[in-house]
Amino acid sequence: MLKKFFIHSIAALCLLLLCNLNATATIYNAIASGNYTDASTWQGGNIPPRNPTGHSIIIPSGITVTVATKMFFTGSSASDELHVEGNLNMPGMELILFDAVLKGSGTITAGSFGGEFTRGFDFSGTITTGYL
């Protein structure tokens, strides 16, 4: 009886931890053109991390987000995505996506671009880069 209770308790704890991991993913939605590090660019003033692993970034049509540093975007779940309908401007900077989804029909300009898109690639826009 005690053994069965222990097994059920461990299973419940694991389920709780898994649900908690999914709850920490954040969606960052650009609401105005501006610098990536400027709070006024993002809904709620929440600036995405420079390496947004485990999160999603959305740049809607008509908005340009400028990034002045290298970005390494690693996916950890199917919801991790970079969705560009507007413009992602990274002049001279490196953009690397690994195991994250790239979506949209906007424009990405970067000094170099690379990635491994095992979770998905649904981007029909323009990517301008010096190096692939």
Side-chain angles (χ1 to χ4, degrees), residues 2 29-30 32-33 36-37 44 68 78 82 101 110 117 123 128:
L2 187 58
N29 191 27
S33 292
Y36 187 86
T37 57
L82 176 58
V101 177
F117 303 98
F123 187 78
T128 304

Side-chain angles (χ1 to χ4, degrees), residues 65-121:
V65 174
T66 302
V67 182
T69 186
K70 173 182 175 178
M71 240 178 119
F72 187 75
F73 198 121
T74 303
S76 61
S77 73
S79 63
D80 298 333
E81 66 181 39
L82 176 58
H83 191 146
V84 181
E85 294 294 341
N87 301 295
L88 177 60
N89 187 24
M90 301 179 64
M93 296 296 126
E94 183 177 20
L95 174 61
I96 298 175
L97 286 94
F98 181 77
D99 215 14
V101 177
L102 179 60
K103 287 182 170 182
S105 59
T107 301
I108 297 173
T109 304
S112 63
F113 175 82
E116 183 175 305
F117 303 98
T118 56
R119 295 189 192 269
F121 185 91

Side-chain angles (χ1 to χ4, degrees), residues 3-59:
K3 184 177 178 182
K4 197 176 197 179
F5 173 76
F6 180 73
I7 291 171
H8 287 285
S9 296
I10 294 296
L13 180 60
C14 289
L15 181 61
L16 179 63
L17 287 174
L18 286 174
C19 290
N20 229 5
L21 287 175
N22 289 336
T24 60
T26 303
I27 297 173
Y28 296 94
N29 191 27
I31 57 168
S33 292
N35 290 324
Y36 187 86
T37 57
D38 187 345
S40 66
T41 302
W42 304 100
Q43 186 173 8
N46 299 317
I47 301 168
R50 187 175 61 104
N51 297 318
T53 300
H55 305 293
S56 295
I57 295 176
I58 300 170
I59 302 172

